[in-house]
Amino acid sequence: MSEAFGFRTFGGPEVQEFFDRPDPVPSPAEVLVRVTAAGVNPLDFKLRSGALPGFYGERPFPQVMGAEAAGVVLAVGSEVEGLAVGDAVFGMAYTGAGAYARTTLLLGSHTARKPEGLRDDWAATIPVAATSALDAVDQLDLPEGTTVLINGVGGGVGIATAQVARDRGLNVIGTGGPTKRALAEAVGVTFVDYTEGPVVPRLRDLAPDGVDGLVDLVGGASLRTVAPLVREPKYIVSVTDGTVTELGGEMVRRRAARADLERAAALMVEGRLDPHVVRTYPLARSAEALALLEDGHAVGKIVIDMTE
Ligand SMILES: NC(=O)c1ccc[n+]([C@@H]2O[C@H](COP(=O)([O-])OP(=O)(O)OC[C@H]3O[C@@H](n4cnc5c(N)ncnc54)[C@H](OP(=O)(O)O)[C@@H]3O)[C@@H](O)[C@H]2O)c1
């Protein structure tokens, strides 16, 4: 039995609790890992709230939170290639076993060996946030010297997207709240604080002819406010709001298979991508970690460090 953090019914933070569970048994496609670090994502509280029923198919309660982890392989499913017991890895807890736990299951095809020199708390942010950033920038495929607007630049995906875009030679304008300015500017973003009044006139001042592309991490009314600034609507990619298609844009096409994870890890090792893990919490303080993100104003990434 080992400790896990999750919920027995859908609801708000009040339904979260710790419980013990037996080590999950890997299917032929999975690996069992001892978790060293787990990324904290909005997906975790969206699943807890019941807003995404069927996301992992039929899943019994209690459910464990967390979709991405770094760890050490304890057992390998019969069909998993290229991973062995004892490997330090990171990957998607895609099958719903949860990552806020001492042990979990990762999908072998969506799990990679952790390169030498990559910290566990950084590796644990790759499967959801860093690969989303790569996917969004790849999908736009804008030429060097063009300008991309990142709506919601200061959060986990936004700060990674800004760095990937800058690394490709793009000019980056980003929107966010006041606590995001310093970090956004530090990674080369021209920052517009959406709490200081309407954003569109200030964005128009920065890009009088409009922007070449938009990566949206906020959705809803905020997406609709900034979308008209994009010269060609097909260059709008939302990571969060499927109604982006009504504006002529696209939802991000996600890829987080082993090769994608390895690509993001290489960028981190080469010093080209820093996930800006601003806070780590021990498993015992998972509720605080989630509350910080659920409040909607977390700066950078939050990670649960199982070694704390
Ligand atoms: N499709 C996928 O596979 C996938 C993968 C990863 C994430 N996502 C989704 O993408 C979204 C972003 O994820 P994340 O991890 O980056 O979340 P996050 O860390 O919470 O970042 C979202 C950011 O948007 C800012 N924001 C809120 N309202 C805004 C507004 N009106 N204008 C500009 N900025 C605003 C927030 O804080 P401030 O207001 O303080 O600036 C926050 O920094 C979430 O909805 C998540 O579920 C989807």
Side-chain angles (χ1 to χ4, degrees):
M1 302 291 272
S2 70
E3 199 182 7
F5 186 70
F7 50 93
R8 291 177 198 276
T9 180
F10 294 128
E14 71 284 352
V15 303
Q16 295 167 182
E17 60 175 294
F18 283 97
F19 46 84
D20 284 326
R21 69 168 176 186
D23 286 341
V25 178
S27 72
E30 293 172 320
V31 292
L32 172 69
V33 299
R34 176 174 59 74
V35 179
T36 51
V40 178
N41 291 290
L43 176 64
D44 306 340
F45 58 77
K46 289 180 186 175
L47 287 170
R48 185 211 60 219
S49 74
L52 305 171
F55 188 82
Y56 289 120
E58 275 304 305
R59 199 176 160 206
F61 291 111
Q63 297 185 10
V64 179
M65 303 179 86
E68 57 181 355
V72 177
V73 176
L74 298 175
V76 182
S78 58
E79 291 170 7
V80 175
E81 292 177 3
L83 300 175
V85 171
D87 283 350
V89 296
F90 61 103
M92 275 283 190
Y94 238 3
T95 47
Y100 298 10
R102 299 289 172 195
T103 58
T104 195
L105 301 175
L106 302 179
L107 202 54
S109 57
H110 290 61
T111 297
R113 280 213 184 90
K114 192 168 66 70
E116 203 64 41
L118 181 61
R119 291 160 43 164
D120 287 64
D121 59 345
W122 284 32
T125 70
I126 290 176
V128 176
T131 59
S132 294
L134 279 175
D135 289 346
V137 177
D138 282 353
Q139 199 166 321
L140 284 177
D141 197 23
L142 293 172
E144 205 172 317
T146 56
T147 300
V148 65
L149 171 63
I150 302 175
N151 193 38
V153 76
V157 179
I159 217 70
T161 306
Q163 292 170 80
V164 171
R166 294 286 295 138
D167 192 56
R168 305 259 174 104
L170 305 184
N171 305 311
V172 180
I173 302 172
T175 60
T179 58
K180 308 295 161 57
R181 179 179 292 279
L183 179 54
E185 289 181 346
V187 298
V189 174
T190 304
F191 187 76
V192 172
D193 181 341
Y194 71 89
T195 68
E196 287 177 353
V199 291
V200 170
R202 285 175 287 152
L203 292 169
R204 283 260 177 240
D205 283 347
L206 293 169
D209 300 325
V211 294
D212 300 290
L214 166 65
V215 176
D216 168 59
L217 304 161
V218 184
S222 169
L223 165 60
R224 280 164 169 72
T225 299
V226 296
L229 290 156
V230 187
R231 275 201 287 275
E232 286 190 67
K234 67 178 182 180
Y235 290 104
I236 302 174
V237 170
S238 182
V239 180
T240 189
D241 187 344
T243 70
V244 65
T245 53
E246 296 167 7
L247 305 169
E250 293 183 324
M251 210 31 202
V252 68
R253 289 187 290 279
R254 292 286 287 121
R255 302 163 302 178
R258 187 175 297 169
D260 306 304
L261 302 177
E262 288 170 349
R263 231 176 109 211
L267 289 179
M268 287 187 184
V269 171
E270 290 161 14
R272 294 157 65 191
L273 174 59
D274 178 339
H276 288 277
V277 175
V278 286
R279 292 289 286 272
T280 63
Y281 288 84
L283 183 60
R285 293 175 59 198
S286 297
E288 279 173 67
L290 263 167
L292 194 63
L293 193 67
E294 200 161 0
D295 168 56
H297 300 294
V299 185
K301 274 299 289 189
I302 300 165
V303 171
I304 298 185
D305 182 348
M306 303 292 168
T307 62
E308 278 187 32

